[in-house]
Amino acid sequence: MWSQIEVFMQTFISGVLLGGLYALIGIGMTLILGVMKIINLTHGQVMMVAMYVAFWLFDLYHIDPYVSLFIAPPLIFLLGVGMQKTLINPVLRVESILPHNQVILTVGIGMVLQNLATIFFTSNYRSTPVDYATDAWYLSDYWENAPLELSLSFPWTVSFLLSVAITVALWFFLARTDTGKSIRATAQDGDAARIMGVNVSAMRVITFGLGSALVAAAGCLFMPIYYLFPALGSQFTLIAFVITILGGLGSTMGAIMGGLILGVFESMTATYIGMGWAPVGRFVVFIATLVFLPGGVASLLKRRAVSK
Amino acid sequence: MKKVFPLVLLAALAVFPLIGMSSYVMHLVILAIMWSMAGMAWNLLGGYCGQVSFGHAAFFGVGAYSAGIMQIHFQASPWWGMLLGIPAVAIMALCMGLVVLRLRGPYFVLATLAIGEVMRITAENMVGVTQGTLGIMIQRTWVDKQEYYYIILSMAVATFLIVKLLAESRWGYYFVAIREDQDAAESLGINTTLYKTIALTVSAVITGLAGSFYMNYMGYIDPQVVFSLGEISILMIMVVMVGGVATYLGPIVGAAIMVLMAEVFRTLPYVGTAYQTLFGILLIVIIIFLPNGLVGDWPKIKRMFAKGGQS
């Protein structure tokens, strides 16, 4: 009986910790989606690039992945700005039969990034063997003869807390600063924002960079607890997208909720059904959301706000 | 000229094996024809009906697996699987259509992508039925390539005719109307869901047939190969994008180019294993400069070269 609850609680905790990181990935995607109205299917690949930056910094200069948090995201911000300016912007203007050319374009960019990584870094699995990788806090250390034995992994917790801190900082940026307000205005109505004197095209460029930087930050946070290989990107692109749908398109709050829900759900599928099925669970969530709750969690939040 | 071209091409292809090419060249041509068939199928849904699917590997894979399962579980010839594959894929497409065809634009793109991946993971995990990642190996019917060549050629010709017939019928106009503006089409009394379902099912069945052929021809499949996102779903899109969206000849041109390029890239040193980089770059270049593909933007290309000649 107790052991059942113990397994459940432990699964729940690791789900929440994972969900915090997922939320960060989801926020980046949802920002880009809200402002640019395009789906960025190269989001995970950008994260993979950031993880390689963190990995090489660790491998060559022994810089801790958490310190790379201040190095990799600015670099990836530049990468994002470059991609937006040189590749995505021209396509937004081109006339074509198919309306989803930008989506296919981002898939192409993702393919290039992933395969360049394979060429340069080979497809070996990499990880950063930090000293604290196996440190953990145990419940029994603090509460003797506790009926349950729960543990909290040190790197997972630090990553989770840092991701919360970044989210709060982002919220502050979007809610309080001038640029942040302009970004939100562009997301709400591009034309109206332009009339109000917002430099919409600059905001789009900044948002793409910012979204990429956020997912790069998530990549650095994942580095101490995860392994790295070039094909990792596509998996995270899908995760980011599921979170975005689950949360509601363009909603930051929704992305946070969506990340947490998905994290817990995946953790539960992995424990109770089997590791191999975790991705299927992810897509079940995705399809179920599209069918039963097309607006995502954000629509629930909104409904409550309206009824108040 | 334009009307005769497909006939000339067909005649050239029909006598092609008689000139005694090496079996490697035959292999490439067979693959190109198979891809053009799959591309035409994708074009019906993606090009004419405007529903960009990233999950056609699901149909391809189910077609391939129905042939393979026929052999390993029922000891029947895998060619029977081709027949079995038709209802299997059609039912799957109908069920899938119920969910995904309610979605539009990017949602549709991602729902199909998700279904493709779900099918791959399911095939990997259902070891009892599919032998999991071990894959299915069967005895090929003929050692020679010639029989396969004529089978796939006749299948591709049939596909070409079906797509042409559909696109020029009343339904074809409905498809294009849905692509251009779904709400307007709906308001003109077109049952958009019905016609989208038709396009999806026909496209799926043809893709499934291509998949069964692949099983019969290659003799080996595993989930990573036939449900692959990059090697099947995206390659199918690339075939159409490179050749020309919503054109009859586009997928044929695209398939020829893609198969040739894949072979050439794979032989390059260093880049070989990651030839998809070059595919990705090609895709980016095509989307930015020739958004309607080589056939669709042919007038534009001709003008470009004409200008170049004058100056």
Side-chain angles (χ1 to χ4, degrees):
Chain A
M1 173 63 198
W2 279 113
S3 67
Q4 291 282 335
I5 296 179
E6 198 176 290
V7 170
F8 181 81
M9 289 295 286
Q10 191 65 56
T11 311
F12 185 77
I13 289 173
S14 54
V16 170
L17 293 180
L18 180 66
L21 291 172
Y22 276 2
L24 202 56
I25 303 174
I27 294 171
M29 182 102 158
T30 214
L31 260 185
I32 295 176
L33 193 79
V35 172
M36 317 235 332
K37 307 283 181 272
I38 69 163
I39 291 178
N40 177 17
L41 281 190
T42 172
H43 209 59
Q45 278 82 354
V46 169
M47 173 170 150
M48 181 267 301
V49 173
M51 284 173 88
Y52 268 107
V53 172
F55 171 77
W56 286 114
L57 284 175
F58 179 85
D59 201 53
L60 299 176
Y61 306 108
H62 302 287
I63 295 173
D64 193 278
Y66 289 128
V67 180
S68 309
L69 204 52
F70 299 97
I71 306 167
L75 287 176
I76 301 298
F77 180 86
L78 294 179
L79 177 76
V81 166
M83 276 188 338
Q84 147 76 6
K85 280 199 148 169
T86 53
L87 299 173
I88 295 172
N89 248 349
V91 171
L92 290 177
R93 287 194 294 266
V94 166
E95 277 287 312
S96 73
I97 293 179
L98 280 184
H100 308 305
N101 266 357
Q102 329 93 8
V103 183
I104 303 177
L105 175 77
T106 57
V107 172
I109 299 174
M111 271 162 79
V112 173
L113 288 179
Q114 176 176 333
N115 288 293
L116 282 181
T118 315
I119 295 175
F120 289 124
F121 310 135
T122 72
S123 46
N124 290 346
Y125 281 49
R126 321 258 193 177
S127 63
T128 51
V130 282
D131 312 326
Y132 47 78
T134 52
D135 290 359
W137 290 298
Y138 294 98
L139 185 63
S140 54
D141 292 349
Y142 300 94
W143 178 17
E144 280 197 30
N145 45 41
L148 297 165
E149 174 64 323
L150 297 175
S151 66
L152 210 53
S153 154
F154 175 76
W156 276 95
T157 315
V158 171
S159 292
F160 177 78
L161 292 177
L162 281 173
S163 130
V164 171
I166 293 169
T167 311
V168 171
L170 178 79
W171 175 81
F172 188 79
F173 171 74
L174 286 178
R176 291 280 182 274
T177 64
D178 212 37
T179 323
K181 284 178 185 166
S182 308
I183 287 177
R184 284 193 300 146
T186 314
Q188 276 178 10
D189 190 332
D191 293 331
R194 199 186 305 257
I195 293 169
M196 297 302 161
V198 173
N199 187 347
V200 170
S201 53
M203 285 310 133
R204 291 204 170 129
V205 174
I206 290 177
T207 310
F208 203 90
L210 189 65
S212 305
L214 280 173
V215 81
C220 294
L221 295 178
F222 258 117
M223 206 50 229
I225 49 187
Y226 218 72
Y227 44 87
L228 168 62
F229 55 99
L232 166 117
S234 51
Q235 180 189 337
F236 276 97
T237 302
L238 290 172
I239 291 175
F241 197 77
V242 176
I243 296 168
T244 319
I245 294 288
L246 188 56
L249 297 186
S251 156
T252 315
M253 196 56 215
I256 296 172
M257 297 298 295
L260 288 174
I261 294 172
L262 189 71
V264 172
F265 189 85
E266 266 187 22
S267 202
M268 294 283 170
T269 4
T271 307
Y272 290 105
I273 300 178
M275 269 315 246
W277 289 99
V280 174
R282 196 181 293 157
F283 293 127
V284 170
V285 172
F286 172 68
I287 303 276
T289 317
L290 285 176
V291 174
F292 298 112
L293 192 67
V297 179
S299 66
L300 290 182
L301 297 174
K302 216 177 276 169
R303 205 178 298 163
R304 236 195 30 220
V306 169
S307 65
K308 263 181 199 168
Chain B
M1 169 64 203
K2 222 173 179 180
K3 276 210 167 140
V4 206
F5 182 71
L7 290 175
V8 175
L9 186 68
L10 178 61
L13 283 171
V15 296
F16 177 77
L18 303 179
I19 52 175
M21 278 292 181
S22 72
S23 83
Y24 175 65
V25 176
M26 283 293 279
H27 173 70
L28 290 189
V29 178
I30 289 173
L31 279 188
I33 295 174
M34 190 193 83
W35 278 114
S36 64
M37 177 176 163
M40 283 186 266
W42 191 90
N43 200 15
L44 188 68
L45 182 68
Y48 293 103
C49 206
Q51 311 295 314
V52 175
S53 157
F54 270 74
H56 261 51
F59 307 127
F60 191 87
V62 168
Y65 265 100
S66 59
I69 286 169
M70 212 57 188
Q71 166 86 17
I72 57 163
H73 289 298
F74 305 104
Q75 276 76 42
S77 156
W79 292 104
W80 285 108
M82 213 176 245
L83 280 181
L84 178 85
I86 294 173
V89 174
I91 291 167
M92 189 188 141
L94 286 174
C95 296
M96 192 174 143
L98 270 181
V99 181
V100 298
L101 286 176
R102 302 172 186 204
L103 311 167
R104 289 192 191 181
Y107 292 94
F108 180 84
V109 170
L110 283 138
T112 50
L113 194 149
I115 285 173
E117 290 289 284
V118 165
M119 289 307 294
R120 177 175 62 79
I121 295 158
T122 312
E124 273 171 12
N125 283 291
M126 280 172 55
V127 181
V129 183
T130 61
Q131 304 193 356
T133 41
L134 191 65
I136 295 176
M137 175 104 83
I138 61 164
Q139 196 76 40
R140 287 176 50 181
T141 322
W142 300 288
V143 181
D144 236 16
K145 297 259 192 304
Q146 211 154 359
E147 287 87 350
Y148 292 105
Y149 180 86
Y150 283 112
I151 288 172
I152 191 67
L153 184 64
S154 48
M155 275 160 68
V157 170
T159 308
F160 184 86
L161 292 176
I162 290 172
V163 170
K164 197 169 156 71
L165 209 73
L166 267 180
E168 281 168 11
S169 70
R170 176 183 282 267
W171 290 3
Y173 289 101
Y174 289 163
F175 292 164
V176 174
I178 292 169
R179 178 186 78 203
E180 293 300 323
D181 191 334
Q182 193 177 326
D183 293 322
E186 184 93 55
S187 72
L188 287 174
I190 298 173
N191 185 347
T192 51
T193 317
L194 175 68
Y195 288 102
K196 283 200 286 187
T197 313
I198 292 173
L200 176 69
T201 312
V202 175
S203 165
V205 167
I206 298 171
T207 314
L209 285 173
S212 318
F213 174 81
Y214 183 87
M215 171 86 246
N216 279 297
Y217 175 61
M218 298 301 261
Y220 173 76
I221 52 168
D222 72 35
Q224 300 279 0
V225 174
V226 289
F227 287 114
S228 159
L229 177 64
E231 307 265 328
I232 308 281
S233 294
I234 293 181
L235 190 59
M236 241 173 191
I237 298 171
M238 287 196 66
V239 161
V240 180
M241 292 298 294
V242 170
V245 176
T247 55
Y248 298 129
L249 293 176
I252 302 171
V253 174
I257 292 175
M258 292 309 293
V259 169
L260 255 181
M261 276 179 82
E263 284 308 307
V264 172
F265 287 164
R266 272 182 202 150
T267 57
L268 291 178
Y270 305 114
V271 207
T273 45
Y275 63 97
Q276 285 204 333
T277 319
L278 298 165
F279 274 18
I281 294 170
L282 175 74
L283 187 60
I284 293 170
V285 168
I286 286 275
I287 287 176
I288 293 181
F289 296 105
L290 297 171
N292 297 330
L294 285 173
V295 174
D297 277 337
W298 186 241
K300 198 165 144 190
I301 300 171
K302 266 209 303 217
R303 231 177 316 146
M304 242 152 54
F305 278 98
K307 256 188 212 154
Q310 276 168 4
S311 59

